[in-house]
Amino acid sequence: MPYLRAVGRAFALAAFALLSWLDVLLELITFALLCGGLVFFFGPTLEWARGRSAVARTLAARWCGVEVETPYHPEPPEPVRERDGWYRDGNQLYKRAFWISWQHRLTWAMEDPATGREFQWQLVNPLVTLLLPVAVLVGGPRVLRGYGRWTRRLLGPRPPAEPARKNWLHRHLESLGHQFGILALSLVQLIFSVPQLGILVCAMPLAAPVVLWCRSITDTLRREVENWTGVRIPRPYLPPPALPVPRPDGLYQVGRQLYEEPFWPVQHARRRWILRDQATWRDMAGSALTCLVSLVCTVPALVLFGWAMTGLSVLWLWRPFVSAPAEWYPLPAVTTHLGALAETPVLLLALVIAVAPAPWLARRQARFARLWFGPTESSRLAQRVERLKQTRSDVTVTQAAELRRIERDLHDGIQSRLVAMGMKLGAVEALVDTDPAAAKRLAAELRAASSEALTELRVLIRGIHPPVLSERGLLDAVRALAMDSPLKSEVTGSLPGRVEEPVEACVYFAVSELLGNAAKHGAKRVAIEVEFADGLLTVVVTDEGPGGANPARGSGLRGIERRLGAFDGRLTLTSPIGGPTKATLEIPCQLDLEPSSPRTSTSSETA
């Protein structure tokens, strides 16, 4: 009876698995629609296919005896309405939460590693289950349990794997793929640059949205080039124009033309911004030149690699099964294993020649792309001026708020205690002759109050500038923060000297805020790295929390950005749903070198 039940379950699993190909077909169709601009179907299709995977996990537990847990990252939280009634996503404001929620759910579904494994299962599982009934007939119920383990491997969660060490061949083949990837991205950019140029010439009202959309393609090339080769290409575009300011009579003026609504002035300013930005024209010229350079760097290696691989296939896969001589131009024809063995080193040498320069050529392609898609001196200056305008106002607001906080703490805390102590001193003067015992009790209370006031004053001073910074320096101060934190913390890094005191205080309070955020959101472990190179202090704080951090939704992260802005620093936050959260602080500064007692790496671990 168990044998027949297992066979019936195998047939049922095979029939159910065929539905996965329907999911694959719908996903491919909706992905094609996504590429064509119809963006609202792909995300719901992925979530709908997850329902089928949930049924498969349930059947694996019931029929195969293998429990399969849900592998997906936590769902993104619902957008929160601001006090002014708007929904904020980064720098964008929305009246309704639908668009933000849809974007977050699409990103959540596409970036989850479980989605890729699930797609593999949808493709392969029907082929596997076609043989499952036959295997169960031969092997019995044990085969079902093996099938359940296979399902758990693809549809279940996986522990984070350590990055594997790559050998020489793997690294160079990967670099060859990166060369081809840069060629493909530059070709896509070239294809879209042609209609972009036509719109700039013939359809000026559509220029701004089309150029901004094409810039997203160039941003993808910049991002992938950095991921593949390590060559960073900053965005070169000039800051967008500010919103138009109405005249005293309420009208908006552009040249000699007056408008009642700001729509047309905004469009005029955006068109002028696009056309006057040199990066707009450099992107189009660079797309053609980068594509040409990538062709020169990539095609010879790909042709030589394909020639060698095809030759090896002809010698060792095709020749043994045919009676005709194997001939691969320009090598002579061979009919025996000895002749094939003699030609094999030539083909292997061709493979090595094809892949050996791949890392070097990929970096050359990336640096040429940086020459055209990176910022020029004028764009760097414009970006810096715009950033200084923003940080100047932020610094003014931050300093005013800090002064108000110090004033409030002094007024509500220390000042109140000193007033009370003064009143008690008057009582002591009045009682010292008539009631010495009461005067002694009041003096004891005064001593305790003075101790409490001194403690509160020390806490206030520590909030202004922690003494540990002056005494021990930034690294040891960060280590002290980590030891006081409830998280399990590790601090690593090295500084060849002392950082400027204002920068030390800025980084100290920024790290303190990040540690507090990590503890508040349920993280258990945090790693802090401190490094200094080429005049740039870099602090990386990584926690294993739930992720989903957004500076636009939290005053703490905005406060860190304002602190860093005072020193022309930056906060870069990477926090996907499900974690980890990685915050990178970058501040240009100078170090006072201490050759007699250099600061070395330090680490701490707290339970």
Side-chain angles (χ1 to χ4, degrees):
M1 189 68 177
Y3 192 88
L4 294 178
R5 187 185 301 116
V7 173
R9 289 175 175 176
F11 277 104
L13 288 171
F16 175 77
L18 293 177
L19 298 177
S20 298
W21 281 344
L22 176 62
D23 298 336
V24 172
L25 180 61
L26 291 176
E27 288 170 352
L28 293 177
I29 292 174
T30 53
F31 182 75
L33 294 176
L34 175 69
C35 296
L38 299 178
V39 297
F40 294 101
F41 304 103
F42 188 59
T45 302
L46 291 178
E47 295 190 43
W48 180 73
R50 287 184 174 185
R52 189 109 51 207
S53 301
V55 175
R57 284 189 287 269
T58 302
L59 294 179
R62 291 181 180 176
W63 292 354
C64 306
V66 178
E67 295 290 338
V68 184
E69 299 179 359
T70 303
Y72 310 118
H73 287 166
E75 294 189 13
E78 290 296 324
V80 180
R81 188 191 296 269
E82 302 285 340
R83 292 182 179 179
D84 56 3
W86 291 78
Y87 293 91
R88 181 184 298 275
D89 185 34
N91 295 325
Q92 299 293 326
L93 294 176
Y94 300 90
K95 287 187 176 180
R96 295 179 179 82
F98 167 76
W99 181 252
I100 301 177
S101 179
W102 175 85
Q103 284 183 313
H104 288 180
R105 294 193 69 85
L106 177 63
T107 304
W108 164 66
M110 291 183 63
E111 294 185 354
D112 195 334
T115 302
R117 299 197 303 271
E118 194 171 72
F119 187 75
Q120 296 176 17
W121 179 82
Q122 293 167 353
L123 282 175
V124 181
N125 185 59
L127 299 176
V128 173
T129 52
L130 287 178
L131 303 176
L132 186 62
V134 178
V136 172
L137 283 173
V138 176
R142 290 179 299 179
V143 177
L144 278 182
R145 189 165 185 83
Y147 173 77
R149 293 194 186 99
W150 181 78
T151 302
R152 181 173 60 187
R153 176 168 179 78
L154 286 181
L155 295 185
R158 289 187 183 180
E162 296 183 359
R165 299 184 62 181
K166 301 175 182 178
N167 56 34
W168 183 90
L169 182 60
H170 189 179
R171 292 196 307 271
H172 285 70
L173 285 176
E174 191 176 62
S175 297
L176 187 63
H178 294 162
Q179 283 188 258
F180 185 75
I182 296 174
L183 172 62
L185 287 175
S186 59
L187 183 60
V188 170
Q189 187 187 13
L190 177 61
I191 292 174
F192 284 96
S193 294
V194 175
Q196 178 185 354
L197 181 60
I199 289 174
L200 285 173
V201 175
C202 304
M204 188 56 66
L206 300 176
V210 170
V211 170
L212 292 178
W213 183 76
C214 290
R215 283 182 178 181
S216 65
I217 300 175
T218 313
D219 288 338
T220 301
L221 188 146
R222 293 189 185 96
R223 183 179 63 252
E224 296 305 327
V225 163
E226 182 177 1
N227 293 336
W228 292 339
T229 66
V231 177
R232 186 169 180 265
I233 307 178
R235 298 185 88 239
Y237 308 116
L238 295 177
L243 295 177
V245 179
R247 302 192 323 170
D249 58 2
L251 298 177
Y252 297 87
Q253 182 174 1
V254 178
R256 297 182 179 180
Q257 187 72 31
L258 296 178
Y259 299 90
E260 294 182 355
E261 298 294 333
F263 175 78
W264 288 111
V266 168
Q267 299 303 315
H268 178 78
R270 284 166 62 89
R271 287 197 300 269
R272 185 171 54 185
W273 164 55
I274 291 294
L275 293 175
R276 292 185 177 181
D277 193 346
Q278 295 181 3
T280 301
W281 310 100
R282 289 170 59 87
D283 282 354
M284 289 186 285
S287 62
L289 295 174
T290 303
C291 187
L292 180 61
V293 170
S294 298
L295 280 172
V296 173
C297 294
T298 305
V299 170
L302 288 177
V303 170
L304 186 59
F305 182 83
W307 176 81
M309 289 299 298
T310 307
L312 290 173
S313 302
V314 169
L315 291 180
W316 297 106
L317 296 180
W318 180 78
R319 182 188 54 81
F321 297 99
V322 297
S323 57
E327 184 176 2
W328 186 240
Y329 183 83
L331 300 177
V334 297
T335 56
T336 63
H337 290 315
L338 186 60
L341 190 62
E343 292 184 357
T344 298
V346 178
L347 297 174
L348 293 177
L349 179 61
L351 281 177
V352 172
I353 294 175
V355 302
W360 183 84
L361 288 174
R363 286 192 294 270
R364 298 287 82 73
Q365 289 177 244
R367 289 173 181 172
F368 185 83
R370 182 175 60 186
L371 181 66
W372 285 95
F373 302 136
T376 60
E377 289 300 324
S378 60
S379 62
R380 285 194 186 96
L381 181 60
Q383 290 173 348
R384 185 171 178 81
V385 169
E386 184 65 23
R387 179 166 176 79
L388 288 176
K389 288 181 182 178
Q390 297 175 356
T391 56
R392 182 178 60 184
S393 60
D394 288 344
V395 167
T396 304
V397 172
T398 302
Q399 287 180 343
E402 191 70 13
L403 289 175
R404 287 195 299 270
R405 182 188 69 82
I406 295 173
E407 179 186 7
R408 184 175 61 252
D409 291 345
L410 288 173
H411 181 273
D412 298 341
I414 303 299
Q415 180 176 329
S416 301
R417 290 187 181 276
L418 291 177
V419 171
M421 289 172 64
M423 296 175 63
K424 287 185 178 181
L425 281 173
V428 169
E429 290 179 354
L431 294 174
V432 69
D433 294 328
T434 59
D435 192 352
K440 288 182 179 180
R441 287 195 300 272
L442 286 176
E445 293 178 3
L446 279 170
R447 187 183 303 110
S450 66
S451 177
E452 292 176 359
L454 183 60
T455 301
E456 188 172 344
L457 186 59
R458 285 173 177 169
V459 171
L460 180 60
I461 293 173
R462 190 177 296 112
I464 299 173
H465 187 83
V468 67
L469 280 175
S470 302
E471 298 169 1
R472 305 287 299 276
L474 180 60
L475 265 179
D476 289 334
V478 171
R479 181 176 64 178
L481 272 178
M483 294 179 67
D484 292 339
S485 172
L487 305 175
K488 200 165 187 178
S489 308
E490 181 182 1
V491 182
T492 59
S494 61
L495 290 177
R498 286 295 298 268
V499 185
E500 301 164 351
E501 288 190 2
V503 175
E504 282 186 338
C506 172
V507 174
Y508 177 88
F509 288 115
V511 173
S512 176
E513 179 70 28
L514 291 172
L515 290 176
N517 286 345
K520 182 173 65 177
H521 291 92
K524 302 298 182 184
R525 181 185 294 272
V526 64
I528 306 173
E529 302 175 20
V530 183
E531 295 292 342
F532 180 85
D534 299 328
L536 187 69
L537 176 65
T538 304
V539 181
V540 181
V541 181
T542 306
D543 68 73
E544 300 177 356
N550 187 349
R553 297 200 302 264
S555 59
L557 294 174
R558 287 288 299 134
I560 293 175
E561 289 181 334
R562 286 194 293 267
R563 283 182 182 274
L564 297 178
F567 303 94
D568 200 18
R570 292 182 181 275
L571 168 66
T572 304
L573 189 69
T574 303
S575 183
I577 300 298
T581 297
K582 181 179 179 181
T584 303
L585 315 177
E586 295 178 326
I587 304 181
C589 62
Q590 299 296 326
L591 260 66
D592 294 330
L593 300 180
E594 297 176 346
S596 59
S597 59
R599 298 281 178 181
T600 57
S601 63
T602 177
S603 64
S604 67
E605 193 80 18
T606 64

